[in-house]
């Protein structure tokens, strides 16, 4: 007698359909992912960021700029989440400026065309 694979349940409590997730949650999750990835690319997850094997300022610039665009474009929908996300973004922008051998001019750093100059 051959063994039949067990049928998968039609619903798992750990999995949600995208249509069931509120837009503010989708936007917030995307922002947190960009924030985390940007921090990782700046080497901030390591004890010595300047020696991190994950440090890549070019990649960090792209992630920070994408995060700035997302937060700026969706700020009106984020409600109480907007402030902490903006603070995280500004922290990344400042960390990028500190990590750069030749800092960008004010207003020219990653995401600053969306947020304004960060000093």
């Amino acid at each position: 007698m051959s063994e039949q694979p067990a049928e998968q349940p039609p619903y798992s409590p750990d999995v949600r359909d995208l249509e069931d997730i509120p837009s503010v949650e989708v936007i917030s999750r995307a922002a947190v992912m960009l924030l985390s990835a940007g921090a990782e690319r700046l080497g901030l997850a390591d004890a010595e960021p300047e020696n991190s094997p994950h440090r890549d300022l070019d990649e960090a610039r792209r992630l920070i700029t994408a995060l700035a665009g997302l937060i700026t474009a969706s700020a009106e929908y984020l409600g109480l989440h907007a402030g902490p996300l903006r603070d995280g973004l500004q922290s990344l922008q400042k960390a990028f400026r500190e990590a750069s051998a030749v800092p960008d001019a004010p207003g020219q750093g990653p995401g600053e065309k969306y947020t304004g100059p960060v000093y």
Side-chain angles (χ1 to χ4, degrees):
M1 194 153 131
S2 71
E3 228 173 277
Q4 296 289 329
E7 283 188 39
Q8 295 285 14
Y11 170 78
S12 170
D14 297 332
V15 177
R16 292 173 31 193
D17 288 329
L18 200 52
E19 69 222 21
D20 296 332
I21 302 173
S23 60
V24 69
E25 188 175 337
V26 173
I27 295 166
S28 296
R29 285 183 182 191
V32 168
M33 181 177 282
L34 288 167
L35 188 63
S36 298
E40 185 73 34
R41 291 300 187 189
L42 287 172
L44 300 178
D46 292 324
E48 295 181 38
E50 53 281 340
N51 296 325
S52 172
H54 306 291
R55 189 172 185 153
D56 184 334
L57 296 183
D58 188 47
E59 287 289 310
R61 177 183 294 277
R62 294 173 189 175
L63 293 162
I64 294 167
T65 299
L67 176 62
L70 176 63
I71 291 173
T72 301
S74 57
E76 68 181 289
Y77 308 116
L78 292 172
L80 60 101
H81 301 284
L85 289 172
R86 275 193 203 109
D87 291 345
L89 168 60
Q90 190 173 57
S91 293
L92 281 185
Q93 289 172 310
K94 287 178 180 179
F96 184 92
R97 185 170 294 285
E98 290 174 12
S100 297
V102 180
D104 297 311
Q108 301 300 310
E112 291 182 6
K113 69 179 178 180
Y114 301 113
T115 64
V118 174
Y119 300 97

